[in-house]
Amino acid sequence: MIRTELDAAGVADPALRLAYRHCRRIAAQHGRTYFLATRLLAPDQRPAVHALYGFARHADDILDEFDPALDTATRARRLQRLSEHLFAGGRHRQEPVIAAVTDTIGRYGIAAELFEDFLNSMRMDLTVTDYPTRAALNVYMRGSAEVIGLQMLPILGTVGDPDEAAPHAAALGRAFQLTNFLRDVDEDLQRNRIYLPADELASFDVDRELLLWCHEQRRTDPRVRAALAAQHDITRTIYRFAAEGISALAPRSRPCVSTALTLYSEILDRIEASDFSVFSGRATVATSRRLRVAAGGLLRSWRLRLAESYQQDHGAA
């Protein structure tokens, strides 16, 4: 299967094939919903998507890997080294993640500033623990979430002007991350971070102290529940805007994105169904449900690819 993907993508160099395989393993191990959705892409698209995930995951591990010996200064140096290696003009291709993502950037003409924005947001995680307003949070999410959707856009393809699809792609990245923020409030607190606008929380009389109390008691205070419900509604609105952009994507990419949107937005359903009990458990979508949604997407994907193949053959004839 991997051979088919790499051959379809035109990756012939043996070392580069190993690099892409490395990124594929990272995606399969750490991004279950993400990896499942990528199975709905055409084989030639998958290696590039795995490379983007592998790079983002590598940066995230630098920030969040639990190791008392890794202080902020050490993590900052490692993140800076990652940045330097990425922009070193291919001189660090012996590093699998760098080799694969550099090749992907070149193949698809992905803008370098999208990676610069991403790394800038990763640097914010070294020192920033709270966001006073949504505007401040949006600055962070520009690099940590929106650019992921924009990096993906050249791989997914569009039926018209990519600039028209870009706002929706960025919104989808933002919606996914806001979903994570709601699901992982408790986990983020343990890293001393709060990824919810402080002023919006304050309108419900919620602050860091109350969130820490919820963590210690393993239950959600009614004020926190109301605040999280408001954040939930905001995230739903962003999902609706993101969904409007699916029709702008190349037809063969729509089942993948639609499936990912459905599965991730259902995490919001699980959070709401639990009455926002995010301090006593982690909301997940059942494996059986994920497989059912993916199966429907796979069928649509196959039909679209068959139709595309027929049209190409018919046109050639």
Side-chain angles (χ1 to χ4, degrees):
M1 184 61 70
I2 298 176
R3 175 178 292 274
T4 300
E5 293 174 358
L6 295 174
D7 290 343
V11 181
D13 179 82
L16 199 52
R17 291 171 76 92
L18 289 174
Y20 275 109
R21 288 191 182 103
H22 177 76
C23 292
R24 187 183 190 276
R25 286 193 296 271
I26 293 173
Q29 180 179 356
H30 296 288
R32 293 185 304 170
T33 298
Y34 180 95
F35 185 74
L36 183 62
T38 65
R39 305 304 301 155
L40 308 184
L41 291 172
D44 65 286
Q45 295 172 297
R46 296 173 198 161
V49 175
H50 296 154
L52 293 178
Y53 183 92
F55 178 78
R57 179 72 195 194
H58 184 50
D60 192 58
D61 285 345
I62 290 173
L63 293 166
D64 291 336
E65 181 184 1
F66 180 75
D67 185 344
L70 294 179
D71 57 15
T72 299
T74 301
R75 295 181 193 273
R77 286 194 297 272
R78 291 187 177 184
L79 197 59
Q80 180 60 28
R81 185 163 61 246
L82 177 66
S83 177
E84 292 170 355
H85 287 187
L86 176 66
F87 298 114
R91 294 196 299 275
H92 294 275
R93 292 177 67 88
Q94 73 276 14
E95 301 174 34
V97 168
I98 296 296
V101 79
T102 300
D103 184 71
T104 291
I105 291 169
R107 285 174 182 267
Y108 288 93
I110 303 174
E113 57 262 29
L114 297 178
F115 293 88
E116 293 170 354
D117 288 346
F118 170 76
L119 290 165
N120 285 337
S121 286
M122 295 303 98
R123 292 185 185 98
M124 290 175 67
D125 270 332
L126 293 169
T127 56
V128 179
T129 59
D130 301 84
Y131 294 87
T133 64
R134 183 161 298 274
L137 182 62
N138 284 343
V139 170
Y140 171 77
M141 287 197 296
R142 163 63 189 177
S144 64
E146 292 184 4
V147 300
I148 304 300
L150 297 174
Q151 289 169 5
M152 290 276 291
L153 201 54
I155 302 168
L156 299 174
T158 61
V159 293
D161 186 349
D163 288 342
E164 295 181 5
H168 301 282
L172 187 59
R174 188 163 71 252
F176 286 172
Q177 186 162 66
L178 286 171
T179 301
N180 286 341
F181 290 163
L182 283 169
R183 180 190 62 190
D184 299 336
V185 169
D186 190 61
E187 181 179 326
D188 291 333
L189 269 175
Q190 295 176 61
R191 294 190 173 102
N192 196 36
R193 300 175 190 156
I194 298 175
Y195 292 108
L196 301 172
D199 61 341
E200 295 177 20
L201 296 180
S203 68
F204 294 91
D205 295 324
V206 174
D207 57 14
R208 175 180 283 271
E209 183 178 356
L210 182 56
L211 291 174
L212 288 170
W213 181 89
C214 292
H215 166 70
E216 292 166 359
Q217 300 298 317
R218 314 308 300 166
R219 67 187 184 89
T220 307
D221 180 273
R223 291 165 292 178
V224 173
R225 183 176 293 110
L228 296 181
Q231 296 297 315
H232 175 280
D233 291 344
I234 291 169
T235 306
R236 279 285 182 212
T237 300
I238 297 171
Y239 269 112
R240 286 193 289 271
F241 176 75
E244 294 172 3
I246 292 178
S247 61
L249 299 176
R252 68 174 185 164
S253 297
R254 293 172 193 168
C256 168
V257 177
S258 179
T259 296
L261 186 150
T262 297
L263 291 176
Y264 241 89
S265 65
E266 286 191 9
I267 295 174
L268 286 183
D269 295 340
R270 302 284 78 76
I271 294 171
E272 186 176 34
S274 75
D275 202 22
F276 299 93
S277 299
V278 296
F279 299 93
S280 58
R282 195 169 191 262
T284 60
V285 177
T287 299
S288 59
R289 171 61 179 165
R290 287 191 288 117
L291 292 175
R292 284 197 302 274
V293 173
L298 184 60
L299 182 59
R300 293 194 302 275
S301 178
W302 281 343
R303 286 174 175 168
L304 286 166
R305 273 185 259 160
L306 285 171
E308 182 180 81
S309 177
Y310 173 81
Q311 289 174 355
Q312 290 174 348
D313 292 344
H314 185 72

